[in-house]
Amino acid sequence: MHNTRYAPSGMVCSVDHLASAAGAAVLDRGGSAADAAIAVNAVLAVTAPHMCGLGGDLFALVYEPPGRDGGSGTVRALNASGRAGSGADPDGLRAEGHERMPHLHDIRSVPVPGCVDGWAALHARYGRLPLADLLAPAVRLARDGFPASPLMVPGARVAAQRPGGGDFTAARAPGDRVSRPGVARALRAVGVAGRDGFYLGEFGAGLLELGAGEYTRDDLAAPAADWVDPLRVRAFGHDVWSMPPNSQGYLLLMALGIADGLELPASPAHPSWAHLLAEAARVSGHDRLSVLHEDAKDLLAPEEIARRRALIDPAARLRLRAPAEPGDTTYLCVVDGDGMGVSLIQSNASGFGSMLFEPRTGINLHNRGIGFSLRPGHPAEYGPGRRPPHTLTPALITRPDGALRSVLGTMGGDAQPQILLQVIARLLRHGEEPGPAVAAPRWRLGTGGTGFDTWDAPDDTVVDVEEGAPWTNGLAALGHPVSARPYGSMFGHAHVIDVRPGGMLAGAADPRSLVGAAIGR
């Protein structure tokens, strides 16, 4: 359960051993870390539709190692999150009585999916092998069938009842063979014609049909992927990097900046360790609904981090009085023999997403539009061409000299920054190996709701504590409402690849994923 895998010249971690194996094979053929990441994600788009897919969005951080002339490496950030269609009409939703975006079964919560545009951008900049070759393992699994994973089966039973969800009728028990011929066709089209083979091909035609005015052909013709400047904070003697808005990556970095100035106990088993980190997460995120939108700036000002840190009481839970307004995902990481690292996260948002299926290929569509606001004039208001606030939070760590230390991330909706806060503290503050750091019990801030409503009422959040954690009684004594929860996927699927000073790689896939794997070469 606590296994750390080691490898000398490349490693892949993901939630599915079939996907990790596809990525490792790409590294063996001389592909880059970006090539391998695309191959892994493509397999996951077939085998893990309850987490991600071609109908979802993508974010990635890429570490470019120094050139032959030396110097520091460079961190690049790719935002491949889709935009609402030209027909987006917030007034229409409000007129129907909606106060927030519909969670399921409504095309208006489906921005144009950005995943394939993300693959195209990664491949254009860093690819070494032909795109069709990278997608070939995924095409084969979609065409010939793959074993249903234990985590997919419960959602597949529901998805199979929806229009267009017929691919999942075969997924009655773990190990049942599931094929997805429409997804195979879509992947082949991407391999032949790139992003236009997808957005302007069979999938795009079906999306226009299903959208019934929500999108135009021009919406689908416009690439959704942008290279942007990453965010960074210094914590525990390292630089930690994540995505800028519209991602909530700033919450991870702010919480780390706050935690770096707190007196954390020497052992993560001490209740104060969980208390201080949970409070760092709460003071970072309580106003997220007000401040996070695609154009947000200066969220990590040092004086603001210091101000929020000063709110924390080591001996009691804070009462938050700042105003607040009334998923699923998969993460993967790769490091190649040249030192390039890719931290990639790709998502449907909530389980199978919107529970809508593009009618020609059967690709399930995300519901990332639930991040939009329906409050008139809000900076994140639903509207044409806009990107919604996103929970996706990939992370990358560099050493003070600029060398790559770690690539890591997790699924988990609103809880992603909270999960990564704990894993990073274990790695950097306590010197744990990736295996124990990933497998250790966790806490998260919960409401018992959708997993995307943590900050609706910040003072009503409960600290969900995973089975086996040592903090339950201590947190309750410090004033936290505590709920005991079983060890499992509700606390994320975190994966880590750590780069040792001599170049040896140490990695771990989260045991909560059941079929995940860290594979080295």
Side-chain angles (χ1 to χ4, degrees), residues 107-494:
I107 196 65
R108 292 169 292 187
S109 291
V110 184
V112 177
C115 172
V116 172
D117 270 329
W119 293 350
L122 276 172
H123 190 258
R125 191 162 191 165
Y126 299 112
R128 296 177 190 163
L129 302 180
L131 185 57
D133 291 357
L134 304 180
L135 303 182
V139 171
R140 183 175 64 253
L141 288 165
R143 181 193 64 217
D144 299 339
F146 60 91
S149 79
L151 298 181
M152 186 185 86
V153 169
R157 293 173 182 151
V158 179
Q161 307 305 311
R162 297 289 303 163
D167 287 353
F168 303 107
T169 56
R172 294 178 292 272
D176 284 348
R177 184 182 295 270
V178 178
S179 60
R180 306 183 67 193
V183 177
R185 293 196 305 273
L187 288 166
R188 282 196 298 267
V190 175
V192 171
R195 61 93 54 203
D196 286 352
F198 182 72
Y199 294 100
L200 303 182
E202 183 182 16
F203 172 85
L207 188 62
L208 290 173
E209 175 186 325
L210 185 64
E214 181 73 7
Y215 321 99
T216 66
R217 193 175 187 279
D218 286 346
D219 294 335
L220 306 187
D226 300 308
W227 292 99
V228 297
D229 294 329
L231 298 182
R232 174 181 59 172
V233 73
R234 176 63 62 94
F236 305 126
H238 292 72
D239 288 320
V240 184
W241 305 75
S242 193
M243 295 295 304
N246 55 317
S247 163
Q248 67 170 355
Y250 82 97
L251 292 183
L252 168 64
L253 303 187
M254 180 179 284
L256 282 166
I258 290 169
D260 188 53
L262 299 174
E263 294 186 15
L264 293 180
S267 170
H270 196 288
S272 289
W273 186 86
H275 164 68
L276 290 172
L277 293 184
E279 291 296 270
R282 292 179 69 236
V283 300
S284 298
H286 70 280
D287 58 352
R288 175 189 181 276
L289 297 183
S290 299
V291 303
L292 179 59
H293 54 90
E294 61 181 313
D295 298 316
K297 307 290 184 186
D298 301 324
L299 295 173
L300 293 174
E303 58 273 18
E304 182 60 16
I305 292 176
R307 183 189 74 80
R308 296 190 187 217
R309 183 189 298 124
L311 298 173
I312 295 175
D313 183 346
R317 183 179 190 265
L318 174 68
R319 174 74 177 172
L320 291 167
R321 301 185 182 277
E325 321 167 354
D328 274 318
T329 297
T330 194
Y331 173 78
L332 64 96
C333 49
V334 184
V335 175
D336 65 25
D338 294 328
M340 176 184 286
V342 175
S343 179
L344 186 151
I345 192 163
Q346 207 259 298
S347 176
N348 296 330
S350 177
F352 277 79
S354 63
M355 281 292 181
L356 298 175
F357 295 80
E358 185 276 302
R360 302 190 182 196
T361 62
I363 291 171
N364 50 303
L365 301 171
H366 67 165
N367 56 343
R368 277 290 160 193
I370 60 176
F372 284 122
S373 172
L374 284 181
R375 195 182 78 188
H378 190 285
E381 184 182 8
Y382 171 60
R386 309 205 65 187
R387 280 176 164 149
H390 244 280
T391 58
L392 297 185
T393 309
L396 187 151
I397 303 171
T398 54
R399 302 179 188 275
D401 65 357
L404 178 63
R405 166 65 194 264
S406 307
V407 283
L408 71 163
T410 184
M411 58 85 107
D414 285 346
Q416 288 181 34
Q418 302 154 34
I419 295 165
L420 292 178
L421 174 64
Q422 296 167 75
V423 174
I424 291 172
R426 288 179 179 276
L427 289 172
L428 302 186
R429 170 68 173 80
H430 302 287
E432 293 187 6
E433 289 283 281
V438 164
R442 301 171 185 149
W443 55 265
R444 70 165 201 174
L445 302 178
T447 65
T450 65
F452 296 87
D453 54 3
T454 305
W455 306 116
D456 286 2
D459 266 323
D460 294 340
T461 57
V462 173
V463 182
D464 291 329
V465 177
E466 197 170 23
E467 179 184 3
W471 318 299
T472 302
N473 293 336
L475 285 172
L478 290 164
H480 293 277
V482 177
S483 175
R485 299 285 187 166
Y487 187 93
S489 294
M490 71 180 297
F491 290 90
H493 296 158

Side-chain angles (χ1 to χ4, degrees), residues 30-46:
S32 68
D35 284 333
I38 293 167
V40 173
N41 193 188
V43 170
L44 292 172
V46 174

